[in-house]
Amino acid sequence: MGRKLARLLTEKELDKELLTELFDLASTLEHTRDNRLAGKVLCSYTDEESTRTMTSTQMAMLRLGGQYIHLPSAGSSEGKDETFEDTAVTLATIGADVLALRRRDEESIFAAAARIAQLCPTPIINCGGGGMYHPTQAASDLYTIKRVRGTIDGLKIAFVGGLNNSRTVNSLAYLLTQWPGVEMYLVAPDHLQLKASLRLYLNDHRIVFRETTSLESVLAIADVFYQSRIQWNHDANPEVARLQKPPYVFNHENVSRMKEKAFILHPWPRNQELAREVDLMPQQQYIKLMHYATLMRMAILSNMLA
Ligand code: ASP
């Protein structure tokens, strides 16, 4: 293994060379059970709901012989007005070998990381920060694409649905720019379109991308459809945003019209934008993605701690 990750706060810490090593390591770890993280402890903490990321990160730790402590936010001293920064410093100081943190806002994980770096250098994994950052999910998405298609080069990726505040879309689109020939379709109504700053970044890096409101127009073109629910929980007015109907719904009828070998990813949770009937179709890879995500997190933890 070449470069070691000292922390993983944003997808910008992952380059193609390291990701390729992580893909190989993830695949090796799928069939090798060893205890390379014996004696290591991960502490996890989040102020936002998490079903997959936290359990998959904890599972990855256990699968490699390590252990974890999860501090439920409902029982933490944040309820006594302790700052998140102090909470994170505490978890690092009591002996964690790595922290897995998720936060509703984008910035506080960076502030905590800066403080921890001064006091007790413990690696931090950003397990979801606001509507911007989700590096381990993006690495898992890429690994899934590689496993399913054998390559990432030259693929046409359609991002579909609630793109504006989707941290998984944001992080994945950024990472995809490192693979040659990748083209992107940004399928969303204007108010849910990808952040302007990221579109500018794609432009500046000469990535071929097209914005469209028509899923129909790319259905027979894209190789990978990456769907995101409307990110109503990151909206300034969540209760209103929550009532919006999804602009596009994948169902048996439209999925059947995709290209041969085309497939759908979705980071879940799904709301109404993905019909359950699609779960039984060969074009869905979003359930397998959860398995690959545990392998990718095993690879990341192994890179950091072993
Ligand atoms: N589970 C993903 C996340 O944490 C996707 C989502 O919430 O829609 O960002």
Side-chain angles (χ1 to χ4, degrees):
M1 176 68 61
R3 181 162 69 88
K4 285 271 198 188
L5 279 166
R7 61 179 177 272
L8 185 51
L9 298 182
T10 89
E11 58 287 344
K12 296 186 175 60
E13 281 147 345
L14 297 168
D15 56 37
K16 186 179 173 190
E17 198 186 337
L18 180 57
L19 281 163
T20 306
E21 285 178 10
L22 291 172
F23 294 164
D24 291 344
L25 182 55
S27 297
T28 306
L29 291 172
E30 183 169 26
H31 303 295
T32 324
R33 286 288 149 83
D34 66 39
N35 288 332
R36 64 181 67 194
L37 297 189
K40 306 279 186 191
V41 182
L42 171 139
C43 283
S44 57
Y45 185 70
T46 172
D47 73 343
E48 187 192 304
E49 300 75 10
S50 175
T51 292
R52 275 151 295 278
T53 304
M54 283 306 175
T55 54
S56 150
T57 306
Q58 293 156 359
M59 180 65 80
M61 200 67 196
L62 295 175
R63 288 274 185 234
L64 293 174
Q67 292 171 293
Y68 75 88
I69 295 174
H70 181 73
L71 173 65
S73 65
S76 85
S77 289
E78 279 204 270
K80 295 187 209 163
D81 289 344
E82 180 163 82
T83 62
F84 169 64
E85 214 173 289
D86 286 355
T87 307
V89 166
T90 302
L91 295 178
T93 312
I94 61 167
D97 295 287
V98 59
L99 301 183
L101 303 176
R102 166 173 287 195
R103 214 58 191 165
R104 289 180 199 276
D105 70 279
E106 279 153 29
E107 295 311 324
S108 55
I109 291 179
F110 294 95
R115 193 74 182 133
I116 284 172
Q118 292 170 324
L119 296 170
C120 42
T122 302
I124 296 177
I125 302 176
N126 185 343
C127 286
M132 280 293 278
Y133 307 107
H134 205 338
T136 65
Q137 177 72 41
S140 305
D141 296 334
L142 273 180
Y143 177 53
T144 304
I145 296 172
K146 177 85 170 133
R147 288 283 302 247
V148 175
R149 278 302 285 257
T151 185
I152 299 169
D153 294 351
L155 292 181
K156 294 178 167 47
I157 319 276
F159 288 102
V160 181
L163 311 186
N164 56 338
N165 283 322
S166 170
R167 57 194 175 202
T168 69
V169 167
N170 202 62
S171 294
L172 178 58
Y174 175 85
L175 288 183
L176 278 167
T177 62
Q178 301 183 54
W179 270 266
V182 164
E183 293 179 19
M184 300 185 200
Y185 296 88
L186 309 177
V187 187
D190 289 350
H191 69 290
L192 299 178
Q193 191 46 271
L194 197 70
K195 286 186 200 328
S197 54
L198 183 54
R199 278 180 280 155
L200 205 62
Y201 180 89
L202 297 179
N203 226 8
D204 290 348
H205 289 77
R206 298 177 193 286
I207 305 303
V208 177
F209 73 96
R210 179 156 73 81
E211 294 167 47
T212 175
T213 56
S214 162
L215 176 61
E216 200 57 36
S217 70
V218 301
L219 212 49
I221 295 176
D223 299 299
V224 181
F225 292 83
Y226 190 93
Q227 195 186 27
S228 171
R229 69 186 172 91
I230 293 178
Q231 301 288 308
W232 54 265
N233 50 313
H234 296 301
D235 199 276
N237 203 341
E239 287 316 318
V240 174
R242 191 176 196 168
L243 301 175
Q244 290 178 77
K245 289 252 177 299
Y248 314 99
V249 177
F250 280 112
N251 54 30
H252 190 276
E253 191 279 319
N254 56 15
V255 170
S256 305
R257 288 190 285 122
M258 290 175 183
K259 278 201 305 201
E260 205 197 333
K261 289 203 211 155
F263 61 94
I264 307 174
L265 296 178
H266 186 308
W268 281 19
R270 73 169 134 195
N271 291 163
Q272 308 302 319
E273 68 287 340
L274 186 53
R276 274 152 185 74
E277 64 199 18
V278 180
D279 297 0
L280 302 178
M281 299 179 76
Q283 290 90 341
Q284 77 79 8
Q285 294 293 337
Y286 44 82
I287 292 176
K288 204 64 196 276
L289 163 59
M290 296 186 241
H291 167 67
Y292 291 143
T294 299
L295 298 180
M296 175 47 70
R297 291 181 174 118
M298 287 165 74
I300 290 168
L301 287 166
S302 174
N303 171 287
M304 283 180 157
L305 301 178

